[in-house]
Amino acid sequence: VNVSGAITATTFTGNLTGTAGGLTGSPDITINNLVGVAATFSGVVTYEDVTNIDSVGIITAQSYVSIADSIVHTGDTDTSLRFPSADTFTVETAGSEALRINSSGQLLLGTTTAGYWDGGDNLTIAGSGTCGITIRSGSSSKGKILFSDATTGNGEYDGFIQYEHVN
């Protein structure tokens, strides 16, 4: 039986074949497989146990986004954020690890091994040749490294190294 035009039914049993267009109202439709070139959804779309999702635009997760190992930059796959082990994340550029924060909260730049000299392991900067830190301040300002044993009062600046550009 071929039917065309508008059909209004309160109950339908059986199979429909062909195409459907202009569905309105609030039908609950169960689909085993949706195959097509494009689909537009509005409102909230819920996916469970999905292998791949391609999205254009912003993705908002209601709780966690679980990533097995890395977030890779599209078109530049040797740039990534990685999670190589428990409680550790790294930043990779040009296919090599550039920065690591390890499970002890140590910041490691250019190395995977923390430095050691009587507690000098919170920040380690390494290079295969000459290595250093640049503190860039205004031409009439100061550059400082401060030493503190408190979060208020004079203990916030018990000692410091200062360079004043003007003097």
Side-chain angles (χ1 to χ4, degrees):
V1 174
N2 289 324
V3 179
S4 63
I7 299 171
T8 302
T10 55
T11 304
F12 178 83
T13 304
N15 296 318
L16 293 175
T17 60
T19 60
L23 295 175
T24 61
S26 300
D28 291 330
I29 301 171
T30 301
I31 301 172
N32 290 331
N33 293 300
L34 178 61
V35 179
V37 177
T40 301
F41 300 96
S42 61
V44 176
V45 178
T46 302
Y47 290 99
E48 293 181 13
D49 299 323
V50 176
T51 303
N52 295 300
I53 298 174
D54 292 330
S55 174
V56 176
I58 297 171
I59 298 172
T60 302
Q62 296 299 318
S63 59
Y64 295 100
V65 174
S66 179
I67 298 169
D69 182 55
S70 60
I71 299 171
V72 179
H73 183 255
T74 302
D76 185 15
T77 57
D78 64 354
T79 300
S80 64
L81 297 176
R82 290 200 55 230
F83 307 92
S85 59
D87 302 319
T88 299
F89 84 90
T90 64
V91 176
E92 292 189 2
T93 59
S96 296
E97 184 175 307
L99 179 136
R100 171 181 291 243
I101 297 181
N102 67 18
S103 59
S104 297
Q106 296 164 320
L107 176 59
L108 311 175
L109 185 63
T111 184
T112 59
T113 305
Y116 178 79
W117 184 74
D118 195 22
D121 59 352
N122 301 92
L123 169 63
T124 302
I125 301 171
S128 60
T130 302
C131 189
I133 298 172
T134 299
I135 298 174
R136 183 173 289 124
S137 54
S139 61
S140 61
S141 299
K142 301 171 186 171
K144 300 179 180 184
I145 299 174
L146 292 98
F147 302 91
S148 171
D149 60 7
T151 57
T152 60
N154 293 344
E156 286 187 279
Y157 51 90
D158 278 344
F160 62 92
I161 300 170
Q162 172 177 289
Y163 175 76
E164 188 172 355
H165 292 276
V166 177
N167 295 321

